[in-house]
Amino acid sequence: MKKFGSVALGLVGAAAVASASDVHDLKKNTFVDFVKSHDLVLAEFFAPWCGHCKALAPEYEEAATTLKEKDIPLVKVDCTEEADLCKDYGVEGYPTIKVFRGPDNVQAYSGARKSPAIISYMTKQALPAVSVLTSETLKEFKTSDKVVVVAYFDADDKTSNATFSEVAESLRDEYLFGATNDAKLAKAEGVKQPGIVLYKSFDEGKDVFDDNFDVESITKFTKTSAIPLVGEVGPETYAGYMAAGIPLAYIFAETAEERAELAETLKPLAQKHKGVVSFATIDAKSFGAHAGNLNLEVDKWPAFAIQETVKNQKFPYDQSKKMTHDNIGAFVQDFVDGKMEPSIKSEPIPEKQEGPVQVVVANNYKEIVMENDHDVLLEFYAPWCGHCKALAPKYEELAAMYSTSSKVTIAKVDATANDVPDEIQGFPTIKLFPAGGKEEPITYSGSRTIEDLAEFIKENGKYKVDAYEGKNESDEAQAPLAEGMGEAAKAATETVKSAASDAAEAAKTAMGDIDDDDGSEHDEL
């Protein structure tokens, strides 16, 4: 472990020159030298025409100004001018944000695209996974972020040290971790060694860990305690609720006053079921469309529903009943006790499958996708999605190539009209369910060409079926011109986001914040 605040990141050279912007605009001939000159750099690769990039710009500027004081530089690269540089770092969509610790140590930025999130994320990156704390640094550290986790254990307790360090490494992007072996500090905090306290800027201010001192228990404690007793679902928090793996109870209301009143009424229930069900209010005026995703009637407020986030099951509360403490309490208790069946939204099962692409609905999902012995490629689409419409003819052509195969099924499901087990965060989403491994589907993230999709099935399916086996070159030459586009054209149309960035964008889209088409490869929920 390193001492808290001991990491020094100096700005040098031209970066010290005052300018109108605190974001450094780098080119191919300056990028590598700049990154080499700094221990930690956040880089945005963007295109001027990209809508998401335009939305990010003021947030990025604000974060750069704050992080400048911490000696953490933020840079940007215009990929329309520096195509080779962007290609060198695997940029396939905009914006792509990466953390650099030298030119060869690069990782995807996995935080949200808002200034506070960028500042918090990069502050964590600048610190060691676990900061060594003293009586002088503990007080400051406890309030250095919305959530910080501090362990108190004896200097000779190597087992507890190793266990806590393992948790800190796995969660370092989300939370700050510190530790001290000062017995006096532990006593002053009312903690027995080994012990852990999670300090937070909301609710009761801190939670004390009282479970077995193992990785699983500490991880669960941290994720659970970091969530407000009754929080608020919005673009900045949605991804965190989904990642926590705990069922989420939504409290829909139109006004801030009504949300506050309902939060206070249901707070005892949130306390009772803490760690089992998370409670959160949601602005029905701004994000009311999300109620439809939970099988609630839209525009009928207030409303309440529980989402089992891992299985994506929905349990809507009867909107004809009043939302009282007792009524909601009984509803939540039945859910916790396993006495409720999930609400399932499904289109009718097709009387006849027409065309090479199999139509999947909620009520035949298990039969077509999960229970057969085929490799199943499934597209999750939305009828209004422009990218889905563009993919449709190619997807039909792909399916026709397997029409005589008894080992591969090409299928699609309207994820807006049917409940599916997965939380889909953008359209189209394509997953392969390989025979013998249906519980662990593989998400496709490549170019949406017939050749690439077929290769994906060949490489990842159980049967390794080659759709082109036996085809001659003249057949292959008939592929649409769009499928042979060069790398530059691809870069202008594709967006392949990191998992965490997808989660951040999904936070916006699941709440109903839909951007205009800006060239990204996913239409949002």
Side-chain angles (χ1 to χ4, degrees):
M1 296 187 294
K2 298 180 182 178
K3 194 170 182 179
F4 173 55
S6 64
V7 180
L9 305 168
L11 288 171
V12 298
V17 179
S19 63
S21 171
D22 289 318
V23 177
H24 304 271
D25 191 355
L26 301 183
K27 312 293 183 183
K28 185 175 179 64
N29 62 347
T30 59
F31 186 86
V32 173
D33 286 342
F34 187 92
V35 169
K36 284 181 178 179
S37 301
H38 299 82
D39 294 330
L40 182 67
V41 175
L42 184 66
E44 176 204 2
F45 299 89
F46 75 99
W49 45 260
C50 161
H52 293 304
C53 303
K54 293 175 184 176
L56 172 63
E59 304 289 342
Y60 202 67
E61 286 283 353
E62 183 179 338
T65 300
T66 299
L67 289 170
K68 180 180 179 181
E69 300 172 0
K70 300 175 182 284
D71 292 337
I72 304 174
L74 270 61
V75 307
K76 63 182 180 180
V77 175
D78 184 344
C79 290
T80 64
E81 295 182 355
E82 305 295 334
D84 289 342
L85 176 60
C86 295
K87 183 178 179 181
D88 288 345
Y89 288 105
V91 176
E92 296 181 340
Y94 311 120
T96 291
I97 309 173
K98 295 179 180 284
V99 179
F100 285 80
R101 289 181 171 85
D104 301 320
N105 186 349
V106 188
Q107 69 182 61
Y109 169 80
S110 59
R113 296 176 187 170
K114 294 291 184 180
S115 175
I118 295 171
I119 294 167
S120 177
Y121 185 94
M122 292 307 294
T123 299
K124 295 180 183 73
Q125 296 299 311
L127 294 171
V130 180
S131 298
V132 174
L133 303 175
T134 66
S135 57
E136 289 77 25
T137 58
L138 176 61
K139 183 177 180 180
E140 178 187 353
F141 188 80
K142 283 160 55 175
T143 59
S144 57
D145 205 359
K146 289 195 298 183
V147 172
V148 299
V149 187
V150 178
Y152 299 84
F153 42 71
D154 188 86
D156 296 328
D157 188 353
K158 294 181 180 179
T159 300
S160 296
N161 191 331
T163 299
F164 186 72
S165 295
E166 184 178 343
V167 174
E169 277 293 346
S170 67
L171 299 176
R172 65 175 297 162
D173 290 350
E174 285 76 34
Y175 315 109
L176 287 179
F177 291 84
T180 176
N181 53 34
D182 189 331
K184 291 181 180 179
L185 288 179
K187 185 177 180 180
E189 294 294 319
V191 182
K192 292 182 179 180
Q193 296 176 310
I196 299 172
V197 179
L198 182 143
Y199 300 94
K200 49 191 176 182
S201 60
F202 48 87
D203 291 344
E204 63 275 25
K206 71 176 185 179
D207 277 352
V208 178
F209 178 72
D210 59 2
D211 205 343
N212 295 326
F213 209 96
D214 57 59
V215 170
E216 183 179 356
S217 298
I218 297 172
T219 300
K220 182 179 179 181
F221 162 78
T222 302
K223 289 185 174 182
T224 301
S225 298
I227 298 174
L229 205 55
V230 181
E232 182 176 1
V233 177
E236 290 304 300
T237 61
Y238 179 78
Y241 280 115
M242 294 299 105
I246 301 172
L248 176 59
Y250 295 83
I251 305 166
F252 285 86
E254 289 188 288
T255 67
E257 292 76 16
E258 188 174 22
R259 289 193 295 276
E261 182 180 342
L262 285 169
E264 190 63 29
T265 299
L266 302 181
K267 193 171 184 178
L269 299 177
Q271 181 67 56
K272 177 181 178 181
H273 298 289
K274 185 176 180 179
V276 179
V277 178
S278 297
F279 284 68
T281 62
I282 179 169
D283 185 345
K285 280 188 176 179
S286 299
F287 310 122
H290 189 54
N293 297 333
L294 301 168
N295 297 349
L296 287 165
E297 292 183 52
V298 177
D299 297 331
K300 191 172 183 179
W301 318 119
F304 184 88
I306 299 175
Q307 180 183 11
E308 211 296 347
T309 57
V310 175
K311 298 178 182 178
N312 195 29
Q313 295 176 333
K314 294 84 178 279
F315 300 82
Y317 176 74
D318 187 344
Q319 288 168 272
S320 66
K321 296 182 179 180
K322 288 188 176 182
M323 283 179 55
T324 65
H325 171 278
D326 291 346
N327 285 349
I328 296 297
F331 179 83
V332 175
Q333 191 63 57
D334 283 348
F335 168 80
V336 171
D337 292 342
K339 296 180 180 179
M340 298 175 60
E341 290 295 324
S343 167
I344 298 177
K345 177 172 61 178
S346 179
E347 294 179 296
I349 296 176
E351 294 183 7
K352 180 182 179 181
Q353 293 284 0
E354 298 181 357
V357 178
Q358 295 284 293
V359 176
V360 173
V361 299
N363 288 336
N364 68 3
Y365 185 96
K366 189 175 181 181
E367 174 190 351
I368 294 180
V369 179
M370 304 301 293
E371 292 184 342
N372 72 27
D373 58 358
H374 288 198
D375 292 331
V376 179
L377 188 73
L378 180 63
E379 175 201 3
F380 300 84
Y381 75 94
W384 45 258
C385 162
H387 297 303
C388 303
K389 293 174 183 177
L391 174 64
K394 290 188 284 185
Y395 202 66
E396 290 278 340
E397 188 174 340
L398 174 73
M401 295 168 64
Y402 297 96
S403 60
T404 60
S405 173
S406 60
K407 296 179 179 178
V408 177
T409 295
I410 308 298
K412 65 180 180 179
V413 58
D414 180 350
T416 68
N418 297 276
D419 285 335
V420 293
D422 297 309
E423 178 72 13
I424 303 304
Q425 298 177 351
F427 298 124
T429 290
I430 302 172
K431 296 189 178 189
L432 178 68
F433 295 77
K438 298 299 179 83
E439 298 301 327
E440 297 181 358
I442 305 164
T443 301
Y444 181 72
S445 59
S447 302
R448 297 196 191 110
T449 66
I450 296 174
E451 291 89 350
D452 286 343
L453 286 164
E455 184 65 20
F456 176 70
I457 295 170
K458 177 184 173 183
E459 289 183 357
N460 297 282
K462 175 183 177 180
Y463 303 112
K464 310 298 179 186
V465 175
D466 184 353
Y468 286 98
E469 189 173 5
K471 299 275 185 180
N472 60 39
E473 292 184 3
S474 61
D475 290 335
E476 294 176 358
Q478 300 305 312
L481 177 63
E483 294 173 22
M485 292 171 67
E487 290 301 318
K490 286 183 181 180
T493 57
E494 294 179 2
T495 293
V496 180
K497 304 172 183 173
S498 67
S501 294
D502 273 343
E505 288 305 306
K508 296 179 184 177
T509 58
M511 299 298 99
D513 183 5
I514 302 170
D515 287 328
D516 291 332
D517 183 10
D518 60 19
S520 72
E521 279 283 346
H522 274 103
D523 277 347
E524 313 294 2
L525 286 173

